[in-house]
Amino acid sequence: MKILLINPHSSNWTEGSSDRTSIAVRMAPVGILSIATFLQRLDHEVKLLDLGVLSPAAAIQQVEVAVGSFRPAIVGFTAVTSNFLNAVSLAAVVRKIDPAIRTVCGGVHVSALRGRILELFSDLDLVVAGEGEAALAEIAAGADYSTVQGLIYRDGEEIRDNGSRSAVCTLDELPFPDYRLLEGFPQQYAGPLFNYPKGPTATVIASRGCPYNCSYCDRSVFGSSFRFNSPQYLYAHMAFLRNEFGIRHVFFYDDLFTFNRQRVAEFCELLRQKPLGMTFNCAVRVGHIDDDLLAMLKAAGCWMVSLGIESGAPEILARHKSSIEFSEMKKSVKMIQQNGLRAKGLFMIGLPGETEETIQMTTEFITRLELDDMNMTKFTPFPGAPLYRTIQAEGVFEERWELMNCMNFVFVPRGIASKARLDEIYRKFIRSFYTGRNWTRKFPGLMLKSPDSVKRVLRNLPSFLKIRKEFT
C-alpha cells in the first residue's frame, strides 16, 4: 500500500514576529520517521514530507504535488498542539484532491483530545491515540477498525474510541529510523546552537514514557510506563548514524536517559572499548547522578548534560515538579561541571502560582548556578497535562492552539498583572542572562569549542541581529 506521512509546517513563532527558529535549530521528526520505517519493513511504499520549516503556501504546494504524483491510499499526519491546525488544513487539501484517501492523525495533541478531534474536524477520518507504529500498520493491513487498539473512528453518526493500546512495541525490535526519507538529511538539520562541538548532528529518542507525574507534562502518548533501548541497540544506532551519514554528534532527547544506571554504565563501556569518534548530549535528573556516573559519561564522549530545573522558587518547584529536592540543584550543577561536562539548565516561567517575586528568585538562582547554557520556555497548559483540567481557575488562559508552542504566553497566572508584564519580565530575564558576567566570561571559549555554531551564526547574521533587537 502507498502511504504518505506528513510532519506539518510548524508554528514556532512568537506572536507579532516571524518564525526564525530554524536558523537556530532544526531537529529531525524522529517519531513519524520511526513509523515510516516500521511500515517500510512491512513492504508498504512510504513517502515522508517534513514540512516543518516551510511557509503555509509552500507546504500546501508540496502536499498537492506529492498526493498528485504518489497517489497514496492513506495520508497520515503527526501533530503537536501548535501545528495541529496546520495538519487539518493540509488534510483538507488532500480531501479536495481525492476524497477516497483516508486521512489519519496521531501525536500528543490528538492523543489527549481523542474523540473531540473527530467531532470538530471532518477532514480527518481517523485518530490514532498513543503509540503509532502497530496501529497504523494494522489499519494499512485492512484490519476491522473495531479491533485496532488506540484507534478513534467514525461509525456512521457515532464516534468510536477503542481505548489505549496494551500491546506496545518492544523498542529494540524497531528498525533504526530510515533517515534517507528526510530530504536534505543531515545537512539541512542541525542541533541547537553552541550545544555541540562538531556536526553533522542527529536526534535520537531512546526511551518512551515517564514514571513521574509533573503537573505541566502531557503524557497522553506513552502514559506512565517507561521503556528504553538496550545499551547494545544505542551503540549500534550511533554506529549506523556515523557510518551511513557521517554524524559526529548525537542528541539523546530522553527525559530520563540516566534513570537506569546499569544501562548507562554498559552503554558508556561500549563506547569506551570501541570508540566511534562521536560525542553526545543527554539529560540527567537530579537525584540520579553521582561522580562515578558523570565520569563514565565524560569518558564515553558526553559533551553536555541538561537538567530540568524549571524554577528557582522552592514553592513553585514543590507544587509542580515530581520528586525533586530543591537543595540538590546547585550541588548537581557543580558536580557536572567538575567532571568536565557542560551543564544546561531547563527552566519554565509563568506556572500557576508564579509571581514577580518567584520569577526574581529564579533569576537570582540561575545567576548563582553559573550554568554553561540555559533554556527558558513559557509555560503552556497542554490538553493532556494534569494542570489543564484546572487551569481556568489559576489565571487567564487564552486557548489558541497555534500559539501553544512554549514561545508565547497563553496563560497569565493570578500573581502577574498582565500578559504584557509577563513578556516584559521574560525579555528582561533573557537580556540579563546573555549579557551577564557568567555568559560573557564563558562565551569566547565556547566559540572555540563549537566552530560549527560560529559558522551558522555568521551565515545567518542579519536574522540573529533582528532577534537580538527584539530583546533590546
Side-chain angles (χ1 to χ4, degrees):
M1 177 179 286
K2 290 185 175 182
I3 302 171
L4 175 63
L5 297 179
I6 299 175
N7 181 41
H9 46 299
S10 71
S11 292
N12 289 328
W13 45 272
T14 303
E15 191 171 21
S17 65
S18 58
D19 182 3
R20 303 188 190 96
T21 55
S22 62
I23 65 172
V25 57
R26 184 187 179 191
M27 309 299 267
V30 292
I32 198 168
L33 186 60
S34 175
I35 294 173
T37 309
F38 187 85
L39 293 171
Q40 280 184 327
R41 192 172 67 173
L42 298 175
D43 295 325
H44 295 290
E45 189 177 350
V46 182
K47 184 178 178 63
L48 175 60
L49 294 181
D50 180 12
L51 309 178
V53 299
L54 297 185
S55 67
I60 289 171
Q61 183 180 36
Q62 283 220 14
V63 170
E64 288 174 338
V65 170
V67 172
S69 60
F70 187 54
R71 291 295 174 185
I74 294 175
V75 174
F77 300 90
T78 185
V80 294
T81 300
S82 61
N83 72 350
F84 170 74
L85 294 178
N86 295 344
V88 171
S89 70
L90 296 178
V93 172
V94 173
R95 177 79 75 224
K96 185 176 181 181
I97 296 171
D98 186 352
I101 296 174
R102 284 177 290 174
T103 55
V104 189
C105 193
V108 65
H109 184 72
V110 300
S111 294
L113 296 179
R114 306 183 72 90
R116 183 182 168 194
I117 296 297
L118 295 185
E119 292 174 2
L120 295 174
F121 302 101
S122 60
D123 288 316
L124 293 174
D125 296 319
L126 306 169
V127 163
V128 172
E131 198 165 74
E133 286 91 350
L136 195 53
E138 291 169 15
I139 294 167
D144 188 302
Y145 286 167
S146 65
T147 68
V148 181
Q149 292 181 335
L151 183 65
I152 299 107
Y153 64 100
R154 295 187 182 88
D155 181 9
E157 296 297 316
E158 300 293 322
I159 293 176
R160 308 290 184 190
D161 188 327
N162 292 346
S164 301
R165 289 197 70 85
S166 58
V168 293
C169 295
T170 300
L171 298 188
D172 273 12
E173 294 179 0
L174 294 176
F176 300 141
D178 184 1
Y179 297 88
R180 295 177 184 85
L181 289 167
L182 298 174
E183 185 176 351
F185 182 87
Q187 289 76 19
Q188 299 303 312
Y189 294 81
L193 283 166
F194 299 106
N195 278 218
Y196 63 97
K198 294 181 181 179
T201 67
T203 304
V204 172
I205 298 178
S207 64
R208 294 183 179 183
C210 177
Y212 294 105
N213 192 33
C214 299
S215 69
Y216 46 81
C217 186
D218 187 331
R219 297 187 301 167
S220 303
V221 175
F222 302 122
S224 58
S225 65
F226 182 56
R227 295 166 287 147
F228 46 83
N229 288 119
S230 68
Q232 294 74 23
Y233 186 99
L234 293 184
Y235 180 87
H237 195 169
M238 286 185 69
F240 166 76
L241 286 167
R242 184 200 64 179
N243 296 335
E244 297 296 323
F245 304 101
I247 297 300
R248 300 288 299 277
H249 184 88
V250 169
F251 291 88
F252 286 109
Y253 272 89
D254 301 72
D255 292 334
L256 301 174
F257 188 82
T258 60
F259 185 83
N260 185 294
R261 185 189 180 87
Q262 183 61 33
R263 172 206 188 207
V264 176
E266 291 180 22
F267 173 60
C268 291
E269 184 63 16
L270 285 170
L271 286 171
R272 193 185 66 80
Q273 289 184 357
K274 298 180 287 183
L276 295 173
M278 301 171 73
T279 52
F280 64 94
N281 290 3
C282 65
V284 300
R285 186 177 174 91
V286 175
H288 290 279
I289 58 172
D290 53 53
D291 283 319
D292 289 343
L293 180 65
L294 293 169
M296 283 191 288
L297 288 170
K298 174 67 175 178
C302 186
W303 197 70
M304 181 169 76
V305 297
S306 300
L307 300 106
I309 299 174
E310 316 312 343
S311 175
E315 62 268 34
I316 297 294
L317 198 67
R319 178 179 175 186
H320 295 291
K321 192 167 181 69
S322 177
S323 303
I324 285 290
E325 289 293 332
F326 184 82
S327 60
E328 293 292 312
M329 293 292 189
K330 188 171 184 179
K331 178 182 176 183
S332 296
V333 171
K334 293 305 176 188
M335 190 188 305
I336 291 165
Q337 293 171 331
Q338 287 167 0
N339 280 280
L341 297 165
R342 300 184 73 237
K344 181 175 183 177
L346 308 179
F347 298 88
M348 191 177 299
I349 187 173
L351 282 156
E354 196 91 86
T355 64
E356 292 198 24
E357 289 72 23
T358 62
I359 295 173
Q360 182 61 31
M361 291 173 69
T362 298
T363 301
E364 294 171 357
F365 184 58
I366 291 174
T367 300
R368 293 196 301 272
L369 287 178
E370 296 187 334
L371 293 159
D372 298 293
D373 199 1
M374 74 93 198
N375 185 46
M376 175 68 81
T377 63
K378 299 175 180 178
F379 164 67
T380 303
F382 291 112
L387 270 175
Y388 182 81
R389 296 189 292 268
T390 59
I391 197 64
Q392 297 290 353
E394 300 280 3
V396 178
F397 177 34
E398 181 184 18
E399 191 169 2
R400 292 175 58 189
W401 290 347
E402 70 276 16
L403 295 183
M404 293 172 64
N405 55 13
C406 298
M407 300 180 70
N408 294 278
F409 285 116
V410 294
F411 170 77
V412 180
R414 287 197 302 260
I416 305 293
S418 66
K419 177 181 175 180
R421 178 57 179 158
L422 197 51
D423 265 315
E424 180 184 1
I425 295 170
Y426 175 81
R427 288 194 300 271
K428 180 180 178 182
F429 167 80
I430 296 296
R431 287 197 305 270
S432 68
F433 181 83
Y434 289 107
T435 59
R437 178 180 175 275
N438 175 62
W439 179 257
T440 55
R441 175 172 55 89
K442 293 180 177 181
F443 188 65
L446 181 57
M447 294 175 70
L448 297 175
K449 295 175 182 177
S450 186
D452 283 13
S453 295
V454 175
K455 294 175 184 177
R456 287 169 59 196
V457 169
L458 293 176
R459 283 198 304 267
N460 298 280
L461 190 57
S463 293
F464 283 111
L465 292 175
K466 289 179 181 178
I467 294 171
R468 183 177 181 272
K469 187 177 180 180
E470 290 177 6
F471 287 93
T472 57

